[in-house]
Amino acid sequence: MSWQSYVDEQLMYEIEGNTLTSSAILGQDGSVWAQSANFPQFKPEEITAIMKDFDEPGTLAPTGLYLGGTKYMVIQGEAGVVIRGKKGPGGITIKKTNQALIIGIYDEPMTPGQCNMIVERLGDYLVEQGL
């Protein structure tokens, strides 16, 4: 399966009538493996800061998580594995695999739990596959 298929069929999947607003699979170096059409244009330093938080959990909490210039307040995640952020009625979930970052961005009516489930399920699968 191509990386784009994972984005189109797994991440942009409809759950209870809701879908993510955008999603992507990035290499840990910030290279884009695949993304949805409206995924925000991000800066390399935003990915560097996200990777630093995976290595040193808590580094993003004081400043917030930025992606595509949008600031998200960091909320509970799994240290070194999952970062979750909130912004108004929406938010972001980032799951780190062995080689990639799986990113899902959502807005109401999708719930944080639905976003977490979509992103983390694919991330867990890729980890099982050694990716």
Side-chain angles (χ1 to χ4, degrees), residues 41-62:
Q41 182 65 45
F42 58 88
K43 298 181 180 118
E45 56 268 24
E46 293 172 331
I47 302 304
T48 302
I50 289 166
M51 287 304 299
K52 182 176 181 190
D53 194 81
F54 279 120
D55 294 336
E56 301 169 37
T59 56
L60 286 176

Side-chain angles (χ1 to χ4, degrees), residues 4 7-8 12 20-25 34-40 103:
Q4 193 61 50
V7 168
D8 297 341
M12 298 307 288
L20 295 171
T21 53
S22 62
S23 63
I25 301 173
Q35 63 184 16
S36 62
N38 56 348
F39 191 75
I103 303 173

Side-chain angles (χ1 to χ4, degrees), residues 4-131:
Q4 193 61 50
S5 296
Y6 281 117
V7 168
D8 297 341
E9 298 166 21
Q10 305 289 320
L11 293 174
M12 298 307 288
Y13 174 80
E14 187 175 303
I15 181 167
E16 295 174 25
N18 302 320
T19 57
L20 295 171
T21 53
S22 62
S23 63
I25 301 173
L26 307 179
Q28 292 182 2
D29 61 357
S31 59
V32 177
W33 292 6
Q35 63 184 16
S36 62
N38 56 348
F39 191 75
Q41 182 65 45
F42 58 88
K43 298 181 180 118
E45 56 268 24
E46 293 172 331
I47 302 304
T48 302
I50 289 166
M51 287 304 299
K52 182 176 181 190
D53 194 81
F54 279 120
D55 294 336
E56 301 169 37
T59 56
L60 286 176
T63 58
L65 181 160
Y66 286 86
L67 190 73
T70 300
K71 180 180 179 179
Y72 297 90
M73 179 179 70
V74 177
I75 54 176
Q76 113 276 335
E78 263 178 82
V81 182
V82 177
I83 299 171
R84 298 185 185 107
K86 187 95 177 101
K87 177 180 175 41
I92 188 170
T93 302
I94 305 171
K95 166 83 176 183
K96 181 180 174 224
T97 72
N98 300 332
Q99 300 174 16
L101 298 174
I102 315 300
I103 303 173
I105 299 173
Y106 69 94
D107 246 322
E108 286 183 337
M110 179 170 267
T111 66
Q114 290 170 325
C115 177
N116 296 343
M117 188 171 70
I118 290 169
V119 171
E120 293 174 38
R121 186 185 291 158
L122 177 59
D124 290 343
Y125 170 77
L126 292 176
V127 168
E128 288 170 13
Q129 302 306 305
L131 302 167

